[in-house]
Amino acid sequence: LCRIQYHFGEFGNYSLVVKTLSTSSKTVSCDLVINEGPINSYLPLLFAFLVYMGILAVLIAGRLSMKIDPVRIWVYKKLNSRETDRVINSELGPPRAADSAGSEPAPRPRQRLRSLDTFRGLSLIIMVFVNYGGGKYWFFKHESWNGLTVADLVFPWFVFIMGTSISLSLSSMLRWGSSKWKVLGKILWRSFLLILLGIIVVNPNYCLGPLSWDNLRIPGVLQRLGFTYLVVAALQLPFTRPVAESGTLETPCPVLQDILPYWPQWIFILMLEVIWLCLTFLLPVPGCPRGYLGPGGIGDFGNYPNCTGGAAGYIDRLLLGEKHIYQHPSSSVIYQTTMPYDPEGILGTINSIFMAFLGLQVPLFFLSVCYNGKICGYIKFSNLLFQGIISAILTKCSKEEGFIPINKNLWSVSYVTTLSCFAFLLLLLIYYLVDVKRLWSGAPFFYPGMNSILVYIGHGVFQNYFPFKWKMQDSQSHAEHLTQNLTATTLWVIISYLLYRRRIFWKI
């Protein structure tokens, strides 16, 4: 009878009035009546933005003031009289052996790429904020099924930068004298610890009782990171060479002679993708159409209520059991699904390996100092453009109508190529600002990026305890939720900064 397009505001009260104008022609009028006006739910976001910008302005002003010698000396003198001498001496620096006649200059230490830690920290902080609730805004929640929100960006970015770090860390370990067998042992041990921490520490909710295997979720974020790291690092280790002693990435531009030696890696990854495609589109799932990628429930007019995730959900339920996977998927709210489904399941791990592998190519395609800038720039842009073209073809530039839609729950191929394209662009910008031009130190994201495992595990373990959470007066208020979630996230940034100042890093 009625077809109306209208943007409804939060907490508004509306009535739809349908009137018959003519019984003979069966024409009706449809009027929307606003009984109670909506509120502007985005004002808390604007206020929070202004507060953080004010804090940033104060910090920048303070940092610039400390560069003025009289101001700096006066501040240290007020804080501690002994600090004055230390500041003056630190300007001159301690005597060095290299200053004496006839001595050789000390070798330049390898400099850590701050852009990688900054990118990792940015992804981690958004992930923590989203896990705490994201102020209860829809764009800080995971998409119910197909599509993207801010919450769907960060985990694949974390996987991407993990792949980038693998190449650099393996080269560094070999440069410091470790054999490849010893490095392989470290890879196995780190993967085991990540998986164990995910199952024992992160997954259980100890507020509900002691650890119980009966209903313990086996997949998870750390489990996927651990297994992905194991596969990609083991795949890269045979091809890794020690980096130069200077620590710079002065390698020739990645033309064919630099890519061809890695063809076994590409063959392996292509085989994994073929396996994913065959299982996804050819595996028979009882009671479901072959190749089904939908959410089940009332989706697809309710024709396939028990087919959530198609082959991906079926494999998890078959191999892990329904009680050992995620019980409340994001699809349950809109599509009213009743089947458990795990977004970190077995089949999607194949594409997370693909995502990390794309990150592994960054030192080849992005961080190298080229002998021929034009050729290198062309290859870098072509690599980025190629991923974007694949995404456009697979999705048909739409949310629902593509061959393989963008889907975080399934970790579809289009999801991986799209997010790796975004990650490549963002890393390019951060690398240019932080490591090339040094216009930005990477703060505050650099600090949690240096202690990513501690921050991720810590926020999951203590998320239900004060001061990270408290009882709210109005559970429907965006302002209260946003205040609580931003406070908890900011506390982890401060904790990571204090740990950085004390040189405390939790490495696995």
Side-chain angles (χ1 to χ4, degrees):
L1 294 178
C2 300
R3 186 175 181 86
I4 295 178
Q5 184 174 358
Y6 186 84
H7 181 79
F8 295 94
E10 286 195 53
F11 301 104
N13 188 284
Y14 305 88
S15 295
L16 180 64
V17 181
V18 183
K19 295 180 180 179
T20 303
L21 298 179
S22 172
T23 56
S24 59
S25 60
K26 296 182 179 180
T27 57
V28 297
S29 68
C30 302
D31 299 312
L32 192 68
V33 179
I34 303 176
N35 304 318
E36 185 177 349
I39 66 169
N40 189 341
S41 58
Y42 300 110
L43 283 179
L45 279 177
L46 176 61
F47 181 76
F49 174 77
L50 294 177
V51 169
Y52 278 94
M53 287 299 101
I55 295 173
L56 179 62
V58 171
L59 292 176
I60 292 176
R63 193 176 191 119
L64 292 177
S65 300
M66 291 298 290
K67 290 184 178 181
I68 304 174
D69 290 341
V71 174
R72 183 173 67 255
I73 294 175
W74 180 83
V75 169
Y76 279 112
K77 189 174 182 179
K78 288 294 183 181
L79 294 176
N80 187 351
S81 59
R82 293 184 179 180
E83 284 292 309
T84 306
D85 296 333
R86 188 191 67 80
V87 172
I88 295 174
N89 292 333
S90 66
E91 294 296 323
L92 300 175
R96 295 174 298 176
D99 295 334
S100 59
S103 61
E104 294 293 331
R108 183 181 177 183
R110 185 175 186 270
Q111 295 182 351
R112 185 182 181 98
L113 287 169
R114 294 180 70 94
S115 55
L116 299 185
D117 292 308
T118 303
F119 186 95
R120 184 188 298 109
L122 173 63
S123 304
L124 178 62
I125 288 305
I126 299 176
M127 187 186 298
V128 170
F129 176 65
V130 165
N131 290 345
Y132 276 137
K136 296 300 180 182
Y137 288 99
W138 65 269
F139 42 84
F140 289 129
K141 295 181 179 180
H142 291 293
E143 186 65 70
S144 293
W145 201 248
N146 294 333
L148 279 178
T149 65
V150 176
D152 298 318
L153 304 177
V154 289
F155 185 27
W157 284 355
F158 203 87
V159 173
F160 183 88
I161 204 65
M162 182 182 70
T164 303
S165 302
I166 284 174
S167 176
L168 302 178
S169 63
L170 293 184
S171 297
S172 178
M173 284 190 283
L174 292 178
R175 180 169 66 89
W176 287 105
S178 297
S179 66
K180 289 192 174 183
W181 285 108
K182 187 176 180 179
V183 173
L184 179 60
K186 291 182 179 180
I187 292 172
L188 292 170
W189 178 244
R190 189 184 190 203
S191 303
F192 171 75
L193 286 180
L194 284 172
I195 295 171
L196 187 65
L197 286 172
I199 294 177
I200 303 299
V201 179
V202 176
N203 277 0
N205 188 346
Y206 292 104
C207 294
L208 301 179
L211 179 66
S212 173
W213 178 253
D214 294 337
N215 298 297
L216 181 65
R217 180 190 175 200
I218 297 177
V221 171
L222 287 182
Q223 295 89 307
R224 174 165 286 186
L225 287 175
F227 190 78
T228 300
Y229 173 80
L230 172 63
V231 174
V232 176
L235 187 65
Q236 175 66 11
L237 183 59
F239 302 91
T240 302
R241 293 171 294 178
V243 295
E245 184 66 29
S246 62
T248 59
L249 294 168
E250 296 177 355
T251 56
C253 190
V255 287
L256 289 178
Q257 62 265 30
D258 299 301
I259 299 174
L260 286 178
Y262 299 94
W263 65 266
Q265 293 182 344
W266 287 95
I267 294 296
F268 178 81
I269 293 299
L270 289 175
M271 288 175 59
L272 284 182
E273 285 306 305
V274 170
I275 292 173
W276 184 87
L277 290 170
C278 290
L279 289 175
T280 300
F281 292 100
L282 300 180
L283 181 69
V285 180
C288 305
R290 197 168 300 220
Y292 181 71
L293 299 177
I298 63 173
D300 302 295
F301 303 100
N303 293 324
Y304 316 111
N306 298 324
C307 297
T308 303
Y314 175 67
I315 290 174
D316 289 340
R317 292 190 294 270
L318 183 66
L319 299 181
L320 302 177
E322 290 190 6
K323 293 185 177 181
H324 296 296
I325 60 178
Y326 197 51
Q327 300 296 307
H328 307 287
S330 56
S331 59
S332 61
V333 178
I334 291 181
Y335 296 101
Q336 300 178 24
T337 56
T338 57
M339 299 295 292
Y341 178 81
D342 207 305
E344 278 78 53
I346 297 173
L347 194 57
T349 304
I350 292 178
N351 282 338
S352 72
I353 293 172
F354 182 35
M355 185 84 187
F357 181 75
L358 292 175
L360 188 67
Q361 310 311 308
V362 169
L364 277 178
F365 287 99
F366 171 48
L367 297 178
S368 56
V369 178
C370 304
Y371 292 144
N372 189 326
K374 291 183 178 180
I375 295 177
C376 185
Y378 173 76
I379 291 178
K380 293 172 185 176
F381 180 75
S382 298
N383 176 50
L384 181 64
L385 186 64
F386 182 65
Q387 295 178 33
I389 291 174
I390 291 177
S391 299
I393 293 174
L394 292 177
T395 62
K396 296 183 180 179
C397 297
S398 68
K399 179 179 177 181
E400 303 283 354
E401 304 300 325
F403 301 106
I404 304 179
I406 295 175
N407 191 296
K408 191 263 182 186
N409 287 281
L410 297 171
W411 270 70
S412 59
V413 176
S414 57
Y415 176 71
V416 169
T417 54
T418 301
L419 269 296
S420 64
C421 182
F422 291 170
F424 200 96
L425 281 172
L426 184 58
L427 182 57
L428 170 64
L429 176 62
I430 294 176
Y431 176 69
Y432 181 78
L433 294 176
V434 174
D435 286 318
V436 177
K437 293 298 182 179
R438 301 193 177 184
L439 300 175
W440 177 32
S441 66
F445 306 112
F446 172 76
Y447 307 114
M450 291 285 289
N451 245 324
S452 56
I453 297 298
L454 185 146
V455 172
Y456 181 79
I457 293 179
H459 100 275
V461 172
F462 298 105
Q463 63 178 340
N464 293 318
Y465 300 95
F466 185 84
F468 304 102
K469 190 175 183 179
W470 60 84
K471 186 177 181 179
M472 292 183 289
Q473 298 296 323
D474 184 4
S475 61
Q476 297 297 316
S477 169
H478 278 295
E480 283 199 60
H481 279 288
L482 187 64
T483 301
Q484 185 180 87
N485 301 153
L486 284 176
T487 300
T489 305
T490 304
L491 283 174
W492 283 112
V493 174
I494 295 173
I495 290 171
S496 62
Y497 171 74
L498 295 176
L499 292 174
Y500 173 81
R501 295 287 296 180
R502 293 180 175 273
R503 297 295 185 265
I504 299 174
F505 305 105
W506 186 18
K507 301 294 184 182
I508 296 179

